Amino acid sequence: MDCRVVSGTQEKPNLIGLMPRAIPISKYAPKKFGKIEPKNLPVFKLEAIPKSSPTDLSVAALCEESGWSLSDRLRFWHTLNGELPGARLTVRKLELDEQALVHCQVEADGKLTILSNSREYATRFFETVFKNDVVAVARVGGNQIVSPVNHFRPTGTTVAFFAGTAAGALGWGLKVPHEIEDSMKEAFRGIEKRNWKSCVVMCRRALQALMEVAYEKFFGVKPGRGLDLNGIIRSFEKLSLSPIPRHWLNIADAVRNIGNVPGAHPRPIPSYRFSKSDAILAYSNTSSFVSAYFEKIAS
């Protein structure tokens, strides 16, 4: 997309130089408004207007830096019935390691708007996801690229909107232990680097971490040292009314078995090499299990 970058609006232009590069994302949670001075809640805004069509997004860039977590969204809004806004695309990306969030919206006329609590992350997101816009960014320097939108009242429209986005993203991110998130990111990197064995091993590790969390939640104690992943799965299977449905336990067992070969319990298979299909199967099953657990089972 060939575009020109325009500056964001601001109520206090003289404060641009005082704006921090990033604001802790926790400050935007609605419950925090009563404890934080409104003037400490700027939202950084980047706007781009296309000069041509279509607008290309790099899906690989969305995932390659930190993977695609449960908190992230890629949504297409469209008209169903009645008078509704025109079609638009929304991308929500949370980078837990940097505590940065972007909410990117592309309107039907191509106008692009990015809101973020981090100037650097918003700019990097724009440069990588909208690949052909790097030249446009290079031509426009300093605060014209990412201009802060300041609302000095807690009810400011932009701050309130971004706060809702942050609450939605953090509602997922804080429920998923970092160990599971990190293992899934590493598994995805294995797919990117065509290291199929690494992907399978990390999927099994993520699954074990999840099942240990589930065991502690539903049985009230941490699994003992002698209770491995197989034992944890069998413990849930023995329950007459297991909180984890049988079909999900079967999926967990499948990932456990494929992960045992190169990972936890090496069992060489003559003339067998792990392939892309093995990695994709393990990653798809594990990510689906993680999503189902935190969305439906543990909620």
Side-chain angles (χ1 to χ4, degrees):
M1 177 180 75
D2 184 19
C3 76
R4 58 188 178 90
V5 179
V6 298
S7 63
T9 59
Q10 62 231 18
E11 295 180 6
K12 294 283 186 177
N14 61 314
L15 292 182
I16 288 179
L18 301 178
M19 290 299 163
R21 291 178 177 273
I23 307 289
I25 194 170
S26 60
K27 288 184 177 291
Y28 295 90
K31 64 182 179 181
K32 297 286 187 179
F33 275 139
K35 300 179 181 179
I36 292 178
E37 292 293 329
K39 65 181 180 181
N40 292 331
L41 288 174
V43 173
F44 298 103
K45 183 177 183 180
L46 182 153
E47 293 180 307
I49 299 175
K51 292 182 179 179
S52 61
S53 182
T55 296
D56 290 330
L57 288 79
S58 172
V59 177
L62 280 174
C63 304
E64 65 185 7
E65 184 172 340
S66 60
W68 189 262
S69 70
L70 298 176
S71 60
D72 299 328
R73 295 290 183 271
L74 179 62
R75 288 172 167 166
F76 175 68
W77 299 86
H78 54 88
T79 301
L80 289 176
N81 296 304
E83 295 295 327
L84 293 176
R88 68 176 182 269
L89 184 72
T90 298
V91 182
R92 185 179 80 193
K93 192 76 177 68
L94 175 65
E95 175 52 74
L96 284 174
D97 292 340
E98 298 183 42
Q99 286 295 291
L101 173 72
V102 296
H103 179 96
C104 174
Q105 185 168 296
V106 184
E107 301 292 345
D109 61 2
K111 180 180 178 182
L112 180 149
T113 303
I114 295 176
L115 301 179
S116 179
N117 63 312
S118 169
R119 184 193 305 268
E120 286 85 357
Y121 190 58
T123 305
R124 189 168 74 246
F125 177 91
F126 178 69
E127 291 176 351
T128 56
V129 175
F130 299 92
K131 297 186 298 183
N132 294 334
D133 297 328
V134 176
V135 175
V137 172
R139 287 201 301 265
V140 184
N143 293 311
Q144 288 180 311
I145 296 178
V146 185
S147 297
V149 180
N150 308 310
H151 290 274
F152 293 92
R153 300 179 305 277
T155 56
T157 303
T158 302
V159 172
F161 178 82
F162 188 76
T165 298
L170 291 174
W172 285 95
L174 295 181
K175 290 182 181 178
V176 182
H178 283 296
E179 183 179 357
I180 299 174
E181 286 272 10
D182 292 344
S183 294
M184 291 306 296
K185 289 178 183 178
E186 187 63 31
F188 185 81
R189 282 192 284 269
I191 293 177
E192 285 189 315
K193 297 177 181 178
R194 302 182 66 82
N195 189 337
W196 315 130
K197 182 185 294 186
S198 174
C199 174
V200 171
V201 170
M202 297 311 298
C203 285
R204 190 195 185 285
R205 179 178 294 182
L207 181 67
Q208 176 145 352
L210 185 150
M211 292 304 293
E212 288 176 354
V213 168
Y215 188 93
E216 184 175 1
K217 174 180 175 63
F218 293 109
F219 289 95
V221 295
K222 292 185 178 181
R225 290 187 177 181
L227 197 62
D228 59 8
L229 179 57
N230 179 57
I232 294 176
I233 295 174
R234 302 288 91 79
S235 296
F236 280 99
E237 286 181 341
K238 292 176 182 178
L239 298 176
S240 56
L241 292 175
S242 175
I244 302 179
R246 173 73 62 170
H247 67 282
W248 284 114
L249 291 175
N250 290 339
I251 290 175
D253 216 17
V255 175
R256 178 188 70 84
N257 278 313
I258 192 173
N260 278 346
V261 178
H265 308 291
R267 299 170 188 169
I269 302 176
S271 303
Y272 186 82
R273 295 179 57 191
F274 275 87
S275 64
K276 181 179 180 179
S277 60
D278 293 319
I280 295 297
L281 177 64
Y283 185 84
S284 175
N285 283 350
T286 306
S287 59
S288 296
F289 191 100
V290 172
S291 178
Y293 178 83
F294 288 102
E295 181 179 358
K296 303 175 182 178
I297 300 171
S299 59

